[in-house]
Amino acid sequence: EVQLVESGGGLVQAGGSLRLSCAASGFIFDDYAIGWFRQAPGKEREGISCISNLHDATYYSDSVKGRFTISRDNSKNTVYLQMNNLQPEDTAIYYCTADYQALYCSGHYWGQGTQVTVSS
């Protein structure tokens, strides 16, 4: 059974940092691109970052580029999202996703999400 479990969310002040983790199980991690999406109340879901299993290519949305960094540790079946200089508009539920042999993350499998709240 595919499982994606996010952790590391919480409450932080503007300008602060958090590191999200996505622990995967139930599939061959090395064969999957892992992504991060977020959804804020009343807003559409947004794909913000992706790391492919193909040459570890990365993608960032304009809204997080330069502040967030995605990385993967295949030995631990885990992907991380380092989030720096967080702003109130980053407040959302953050989800990790998995896609088989993909350059881009479209979200075939989803985790349950972790809440990130940034206070001003």
Side-chain angles (χ1 to χ4, degrees):
E1 179 188 1
V2 172
Q3 281 198 319
L4 298 168
V5 179
E6 302 94 336
S7 61
L11 174 63
V12 65
Q13 289 188 331
S17 298
L18 285 173
R19 188 177 79 157
L20 303 184
S21 299
C22 173
S25 61
F27 59 95
I28 300 174
F29 187 74
D30 295 20
D31 288 345
Y32 281 74
I34 306 295
W36 288 96
F37 288 69
R38 69 184 181 185
Q39 188 162 23
K43 293 189 177 181
E44 289 189 358
R45 190 175 291 169
E46 175 189 18
I48 58 171
S49 188
C50 176
I51 184 163
S52 172
N53 63 298
L54 305 172
H55 311 297
D56 284 353
T58 58
Y59 158 82
Y60 299 95
S61 65
D62 288 343
S63 59
V64 306
K65 195 175 297 182
R67 300 187 297 125
F68 291 10
T69 303
I70 192 170
S71 61
R72 64 189 296 157
D73 186 339
N74 289 345
S75 69
K76 296 181 179 179
N77 286 7
T78 300
V79 165
Y80 304 99
L81 186 68
Q82 178 66 42
M83 307 187 297
N84 297 329
N85 191 23
L86 284 160
Q87 299 300 314
E89 53 266 34
D90 295 315
T91 295
I93 299 175
Y94 285 68
Y95 301 90
C96 72
T97 65
D99 292 272
Y100 179 70
Q101 296 283 14
L103 279 174
Y104 302 100
C105 296
S106 60
H108 186 75
Y109 297 107
W110 290 77
Q112 292 299 307
T114 185
Q115 176 71 48
V116 171
T117 303
V118 185
S119 63
S120 58

